[in-house]
Amino acid sequence: MTSKRSVLLLATLSLFALPVDDSMAKTLVYCTEASPDTFDPALASGTRDASATALYNRIVEFEPGTTKVRPGLAEKWEISDDRLTYTFHLRHGVKFHTVDGFTPSRDFNADDVLFTFERQADAQNPFHNYASRPYGYFDGMGMPRLVASWRKLDNYTVVMTLKAPHAPMLANLAMDFASVVSREYADRLLAEKRPLDLATKPVGTGPFQLVDYQQDAVIRYKANPDYWRGRPRIDDLIFAITTDASVRLEKLRAGECDVMPYPNPADLAAIKTAPGIKVMQQEGLNTGYLAFNTLQKPFDDPRVRKAIDMAIDRKALVDVVFRGTGEIARNPLPPTSWAYDKTTPDPVFDPDAARQALTDAGIKDLHMKVWAMPVQRPYNPNAQRMAEMIQSDLARIGVTVDIVTYEWAEYLARSKPVDRDGAMLFGFTGDNGDPDNFLSVPLGCAGVGATNRANWCFPAFDDLLRQAAGIVDLDARMKLYAQAQGIFREQTPWVVIAHSVVSIPMRERVQGYVMDPFDHHDFSNVDISE
């Protein structure tokens, strides 16, 4: 890792802690599966709850547990008849956090909104590349080609002007990358020549404030007493970083943590009968897949990709890895999306046809890598086991597979470049409920080298997405997305594997927790009943 990236993962951060009467304090422990790769939500690509959900707000946000957009730091807005101009009326009296070395001199205002987007859009902004990392989601969502400008009318009114109508735009602005950061804090950091503190000593307006971070061990937060939606009921929020699902479960049973994500599917039946524990479940807005690097030979040839696709036994993968918590995928979109193409046939598993297809493509003695994630994700509870099964499937058609993996932050970083070798196990959980997000971010041309792990840019596919996003009528959009899914199946940049049911075990004392369709964990309205 570069020195700047290392700074983003400082072993310990000590910030200003708000005083709390310990005898009365309520503490909730969330056993998270991985360390954050940054506390700047515009840069985050892995574990996002550590920053966007706990520390920040956006001008518009999602109603808890839904894909419906509600007011956030903007209390209301108007959209022009031509759908090109959005006027946001900002909330008064919102306080930024105070941290060691910085006390805000003013409340949140329009300058902060403009800075939030300018730093991502303007290559001349001092914070455009301050961490030697791209703003992957801003670019992957195509924001540079969608937004013409942001301007300030007064301290509490901002106007966003689009280059063309874009139906999902409001939902886009509710995503993590649009989390509002303090211009005043950024200016102070720049003047003091410590810009990286923006990612390591975060200042937001959110329900919690960062107190301490020990890499690969723990993140500690305190409730924000000035939170504009009302002080959280939890005084102390602790993220106990616990990579192993079995260990997370033992901690839950022992009362050492209150909520855990991504249990082993094989443990669910026992968890549901354990005293003092409850399990919340819902169908996930997700897809797990194997992404080829379509810019590297021989995977630049759709015939080779389709041959590998036919050689993989998805049913066995879902049966063994998901253990009743997943279903075989047929499309990049999950069935929970309103644009899912229900006419798609079941995937073909035919090793003999796969072997012949490789021969027809002039491929013999293929030796490839399959990357396996080191952590559980909602779309893949055991990537190592899945990789081993894929290795066995491909051996039957004469393809030799080496399995590789890295620590999670390194896996994310190494998987982006266009010269990455082989195919990687990955997945996507929708960020805003719109099919444009689900197709554009991991498959659009704008995401190549960043959010598009297949590095697949297919102009006809991109054109369909652009057309669909530019109209409001859902039926018309659905037809265009069906065509796009057809192109995806013809080109096969991914082997789509599964969609999962997401399970969240927690202790019965946890009250008010709401499952999130985007795989966030929001504790701002959670309470503990002793």
Side-chain angles (χ1 to χ4, degrees):
M1 290 188 287
T2 65
S3 60
K4 286 187 177 181
R5 182 172 176 80
S6 298
V7 174
L8 288 178
L9 296 172
L10 286 175
T12 303
L13 290 175
S14 296
L15 286 86
F16 181 84
L18 298 171
V20 173
D21 180 354
D22 291 337
S23 65
M24 301 295 291
K26 292 183 178 181
T27 299
L28 183 142
V29 181
Y30 168 58
C31 283
T32 186
E33 82 289 358
S35 293
D37 56 344
T38 176
F39 286 99
D40 183 343
L43 294 174
S45 57
T47 303
R48 299 171 294 178
D49 299 305
S51 57
T53 307
L55 301 171
Y56 291 94
N57 293 111
R58 291 138 295 282
I59 57 174
V60 294
E61 299 187 331
F62 294 109
E63 190 75 38
T66 77
T67 60
K68 180 182 178 182
V69 174
R70 66 170 177 173
L73 294 177
E75 57 188 2
K76 61 181 180 178
W77 58 87
E78 298 95 35
I79 304 174
S80 62
D81 291 341
D82 61 6
R83 295 184 292 119
L84 294 177
T85 303
Y86 292 61
T87 302
F88 296 96
H89 303 276
L90 306 180
R91 202 174 293 275
H92 291 246
V94 175
K95 310 292 184 184
F96 278 104
H97 302 152
T98 293
V99 299
D100 187 22
F102 175 72
T103 300
S105 67
R106 62 166 176 81
D107 292 346
F108 153 80
N109 67 27
D111 291 333
D112 304 306
V113 176
L114 265 59
F115 172 72
T116 292
F117 295 104
E118 285 172 357
R119 72 176 180 130
Q120 299 182 68
D122 183 2
Q124 303 305 311
N125 188 287
F127 282 90
H128 184 71
N129 194 35
Y130 80 105
S132 297
R133 292 173 58 179
Y135 290 111
Y137 259 84
F138 183 84
D139 295 333
M141 292 294 294
M143 294 295 281
R145 66 171 171 79
L146 294 171
V147 179
S149 67
W150 284 88
R151 59 192 174 94
K152 169 183 171 181
L153 295 187
D154 58 46
N155 276 345
Y156 291 95
T157 312
V158 295
V159 176
M160 177 186 66
T161 303
L162 302 186
K163 298 176 183 178
H166 191 72
M169 182 53 71
L170 269 183
N172 290 358
L173 296 178
M175 289 170 54
D176 294 352
F177 77 88
S179 297
V180 175
V181 295
S182 167
R183 181 189 286 271
E184 182 185 18
Y185 183 50
D187 288 344
R188 170 78 63 83
L189 296 179
L190 201 62
E192 297 177 357
K193 298 182 179 180
R194 51 187 184 102
L196 285 173
D197 282 7
L198 195 71
T200 59
K201 296 182 178 180
V203 168
T205 59
F208 295 96
Q209 179 172 332
L210 183 65
V211 173
D212 181 76
Y213 170 45
Q214 298 174 31
Q215 185 178 332
D216 299 330
V218 67
I219 313 171
R220 299 181 187 277
Y221 304 90
K222 290 283 188 181
N224 177 5
D226 299 318
Y227 186 45
W228 58 275
R229 279 201 171 108
R231 187 188 192 280
R233 297 175 177 87
I234 300 300
D235 299 296
D236 299 283
L237 175 63
I238 297 174
F239 280 29
I241 299 164
T242 313
T243 58
D244 188 284
S246 298
V247 177
R248 291 199 297 274
L249 177 57
E250 288 307 310
K251 287 185 175 183
L252 186 71
R253 285 173 168 159
E256 295 175 17
C257 70
D258 296 294
V259 182
M260 66 165 283
Y262 318 137
N264 288 323
D267 293 335
L268 275 172
I271 294 173
K272 290 178 179 178
T273 61
I277 294 175
K278 58 186 176 182
V279 180
M280 299 181 71
Q281 290 184 302
Q282 69 180 16
E283 285 189 85
L285 185 67
N286 63 52
T287 302
Y289 56 79
L290 179 73
F292 300 102
N293 186 350
T294 62
L295 293 180
Q296 300 294 315
K297 292 185 179 300
F299 305 114
D300 58 338
D301 187 340
R303 296 176 298 172
V304 175
R305 303 195 296 259
K306 292 176 83 67
I308 299 297
D309 182 270
M310 286 191 292
I312 294 175
D313 187 350
R314 290 173 178 79
K315 183 179 186 305
L317 293 180
V318 171
D319 287 347
V320 171
V321 175
F322 287 85
R323 302 288 291 268
T325 63
E327 64 174 289
I328 294 172
R330 297 185 292 167
N331 285 308
L333 285 175
T336 45
S337 169
W338 56 261
Y340 180 78
D341 183 3
K342 298 177 181 178
T343 67
T344 305
D346 291 331
V348 174
F349 172 55
D350 191 335
D352 292 335
R355 187 182 297 107
Q356 185 60 50
L358 285 181
T359 299
D360 293 345
I363 301 298
K364 60 180 180 179
D365 302 323
L366 177 59
H367 197 127
M368 64 180 285
K369 291 181 180 179
V370 168
W371 294 40
M373 295 174 295
V375 296
Q376 289 100 345
R377 305 306 293 161
Y379 44 74
N380 191 334
N382 192 336
Q384 184 67 35
R385 181 71 182 104
M386 185 177 288
E388 291 167 356
M389 295 178 69
I390 290 173
Q391 182 184 51
S392 178
D393 285 343
L394 297 186
R396 295 190 185 100
I397 66 167
V399 175
T400 302
V401 168
D402 292 330
I403 299 172
V404 297
T405 192
Y406 300 92
E407 173 271 327
W408 183 224
E410 195 71 4
Y411 188 93
L412 293 169
R414 286 176 176 259
S415 64
K416 294 176 183 178
V418 295
D419 60 352
R420 186 201 79 235
D421 53 359
M424 66 171 297
L425 287 169
F426 208 55
F428 192 77
T429 296
D431 298 292
N432 66 16
D434 196 281
D436 174 75
N437 162 251
F438 214 102
L439 297 175
S440 293
V441 172
L443 289 165
C445 294
V448 169
T451 56
N452 183 340
R453 261 45 178 219
N455 293 314
W456 181 66
C457 177
F458 201 78
F461 181 86
D462 248 36
D463 287 345
L464 285 169
L465 300 189
R466 192 172 291 110
Q467 290 177 49
I471 56 181
V472 175
D473 182 81
L474 288 186
D475 289 336
R477 292 186 75 196
M478 190 177 297
K479 290 177 183 177
L480 292 171
Y481 288 130
Q483 294 178 45
Q485 289 169 83
I487 290 176
F488 171 92
R489 292 191 297 273
E490 292 171 3
Q491 293 293 313
T492 321
W494 301 342
V495 176
V496 290
I497 296 171
H499 314 292
S500 77
V501 172
V502 179
S503 304
I504 307 291
M506 65 191 71
R507 298 193 63 77
E508 288 183 344
R509 75 182 195 137
V510 177
Q511 305 295 318
Y513 180 89
V514 177
M515 287 194 73
D516 181 83
F518 313 121
D519 194 38
H520 284 88
H521 302 277
D522 180 3
F523 299 105
S524 61
N525 292 311
V526 172
D527 201 354
I528 290 174
S529 175
E530 298 295 350

